Amino acid sequence: MSPHGPRIAVLNYQMSNLRSVTKALERLGANVVIAHSDAEADGADALVLPGVGSFGQAMERIRAQGLDEVVRGAAADGRPVLGICLGLQLFFDASEESPGAVGLGVIPGEVRRLVTPRKLPQIGWNRVHWRGLSSVVPEETDDRASTYYFVHSYAAVPNDPAHILGTVHYGGDFVAAAQLGSVTGVQFHPEKSSRAGLGLLSRWIASVSTHKEVVGR
Amino acid sequence: MIRVIPCLDVHAGRVVKGVNFVDLRDAGDPVELASRYDAEGADELVFLDITATHEARGTIVQLAERTAAEVFIPFTIGGGIRSEDDMYAVLSAGADKVSINSAAVRDPDVITRGAARFGSQCIVVAIDAKRRADGSGWEVYLSGGRTETGIEAVAWAKEAAERGAGEILLTSMDRDGTKDGFDTDLLARVSAAVPIPVIASGGAGTLAHFADAVTTGHADAVLAASVFHDGVFSISEVKQAMATAGVEVRQ
């Protein structure tokens, strides 16, 4: 672990194993803390919101721990937040998976079940087609750098297409990454996507360091 | 994209079948082998725990912890998973999925309970099947082919999917170890019967067999052990051959 790396709080709402994402971030030089509460996330340069499980259950736990305010506060302050898989979906207002549940609302839009002739969930590797500008987008244009591991049956549908950062084709085109301000979400699992995934996390960490220098001035 | 998955047999935390990579520091260390397969382009890994004694089972949890910390591709742990507690132990240690076989046949509800608690995407149901002599389908076997169950494999795969399995790991007992190719009839029948991904296993012997499992058997992933461990083919050779045959793989 590098003592000079940015301090990144991985938000833990007890619904997924955090070992892989934590170890991947540490390997890439981040100074990682696991945060269950506002107090534990305090002072972090950036947040990671991971997640596996259902939208409604995740939001209940996030709210019970006050982590919804932590994410909204970071988004309002322009502090980087990275959502992974369900973490991306939670950025939106609502999800067909859990009717009535209210999401974090940091990116306007909702989450819908994939409409595809292909098997669900989508389990496996797929190519992301980037269409926005972001520090997480690889410079390399080959397939290898943009092929990641997906496990999902739902995908986000931002109200404003400008918030779509990348798409994936799976019997239809779906949102693979979304971004609004300092909030970035990826539907795939970079911590399970070998070199391509570690590359993405590495670029995101570098952007956190840059942001830290800018605001530190 | 079609996944290529090496399977490692593990006993008391050590790889049992020899693996033919040169310059390994420790040829018996599953995590070092897993890293090597990741570097070669493996899309996922399966660890099959063949530890017989309950006392030694803690080693599989440690293996899951070390793998999750060091190897950044998805991995499944199978072998001896009997209960939700067993599932919880390896999933909370960092495994992405568990594979259940005998326990699911003996108590099909364990699939339902596991899927409800951990999500379907974590639950792989492994089926060992052998063609019935009377032509009435394929018989499900337990204990590495020693115990007949009276259950037909295509129907069982369908039930497993209905109960919440996320994937079927389908091994042909007729082909396993023969290098005669995957049982594409069995694969095609199961693949048509279930709405979830099917992983082909048993019989890989030539590069062409891998593409056959997909083009004829409609498999979503191909798994092999000895052809990779013995160095007969590298993962990248298999992927190259599949790509040449028109199968989409991660290069």
Side-chain angles (χ1 to χ4, degrees), chain A residues 12-66:
Chain A
N12 185 1
Y13 51 98
Q14 329 270 342
M15 269 182 64
S16 57
N17 183 278
L18 305 178
R19 191 179 314 271
S20 292
V21 68
T22 303
K23 292 294 177 182
L25 293 167
E26 284 177 354
R27 175 181 286 203
L28 298 167
N31 186 354
V32 180
V33 291
I34 306 279
H36 302 77
S37 65
D38 185 13
E40 288 173 354
D42 194 39
D45 301 311
L47 308 176
V48 170
L49 183 66
V52 168
S54 80
F55 186 95
Q57 200 183 3
M59 280 311 306
E60 266 178 40
R61 296 199 186 198
I62 283 170
R63 248 182 225 108
Q65 291 173 227

Side-chain angles (χ1 to χ4, degrees), chain B:
Chain B
M1 290 180 185
I2 301 298
R3 291 166 283 156
V4 177
I5 307 174
C7 176
L8 292 161
D9 285 355
V10 176
H11 182 268
R14 304 280 297 170
V15 174
V16 283
K17 282 181 198 153
V19 176
N20 236 349
F21 285 129
V22 287
D23 70 23
L24 284 176
R25 278 175 290 128
D26 176 357
D29 179 11
V31 180
E32 190 179 353
L33 288 172
S35 283
R36 180 62 69 96
Y37 279 125
D38 171 20
E40 272 206 346
D43 296 311
E44 280 187 46
L45 295 162
V46 171
F47 293 105
L48 187 62
D49 183 25
I50 57 170
T51 308
T53 60
H54 193 75
E55 292 70 39
R57 292 199 50 84
T59 58
I60 201 71
V61 174
Q62 290 165 17
L63 171 62
E65 286 174 352
R66 282 185 57 215
T67 306
E70 294 179 35
V71 185
F72 299 103
I73 56 174
F75 69 98
T76 301
I77 288 192
I81 305 283
R82 292 179 183 88
S83 64
E84 291 155 85
D85 286 349
D86 290 340
M87 294 179 189
Y88 178 78
V90 292
L91 291 172
S92 65
D96 298 280
K97 312 174 195 180
V98 291
S99 168
I100 49 175
N101 188 338
S102 310
V105 171
R106 293 195 185 106
D107 173 19
D109 194 53
V110 79
I111 305 171
T112 318
R113 297 195 305 270
R117 180 160 165 200
F118 306 110
S120 286
Q121 78 285 346
C122 294
I123 311 294
V124 180
V125 171
I127 301 176
D128 294 340
K130 196 171 185 173
R131 193 185 286 267
R132 285 174 174 166
D134 65 4
S136 64
W138 286 263
E139 177 76 16
V140 175
Y141 275 78
L142 301 182
S143 312
R146 288 193 296 273
T147 312
E148 275 186 43
T149 60
I151 299 169
E152 202 284 316
V154 179
W156 171 230
K158 207 163 172 248
E159 181 181 346
E162 283 162 4
R163 285 181 173 276
E167 291 180 271
I168 301 290
L169 168 49
L170 185 60
T171 302
S172 163
M173 303 300 299
D174 300 300
R175 299 299 178 88
D176 202 25
T178 65
K179 303 199 190 299
D180 287 343
F182 297 95
D183 185 341
T184 51
D185 290 348
L186 171 64
L187 283 166
R189 288 284 302 279
V190 171
S191 205
V194 300
I196 56 176
V198 176
I199 305 165
S201 162
T206 70
L207 289 172
H209 288 158
F210 291 92
D212 283 348
V214 178
T215 53
T216 313
H218 306 297
D220 300 278
V222 289
L223 177 142
S226 59
V227 291
F228 294 136
H229 306 330
D230 297 346
V232 179
F233 309 125
S234 66
I235 302 282
S236 50
E237 282 172 325
V238 167
K239 289 189 156 184
Q240 194 57 56
M242 291 174 82
T244 304
V247 174
E248 202 187 359
V249 291
R250 178 178 68 111
Q251 292 289 1

Side-chain angles (χ1 to χ4, degrees), chain A residues 124-201:
Chain A
W125 299 76
N126 208 336
R127 167 73 147 104
V128 171
H129 300 276
W130 301 103
R131 57 188 253 187
L133 285 176
S134 166
S135 54
V136 301
V137 175
E139 279 178 26
E140 305 92 320
T141 53
D142 60 298
D143 289 350
R144 193 179 184 105
S146 290
T147 299
Y148 309 97
Y149 186 77
F150 287 80
V151 181
H152 67 129
S153 298
Y154 294 83
V157 182
N159 289 348
D160 183 347
H163 299 154
I164 299 173
L165 180 58
T167 60
V168 64
H169 190 78
Y170 188 69
D173 288 320
F174 302 101
V175 171
Q179 184 170 270
L180 174 54
S182 65
V183 176
T184 308
V186 291
Q187 181 59 61
F188 49 86
H189 286 275
E191 78 284 11
K192 290 290 174 182
S193 298
S194 195
R195 270 172 290 185
L198 295 180
L200 181 136
L201 289 175

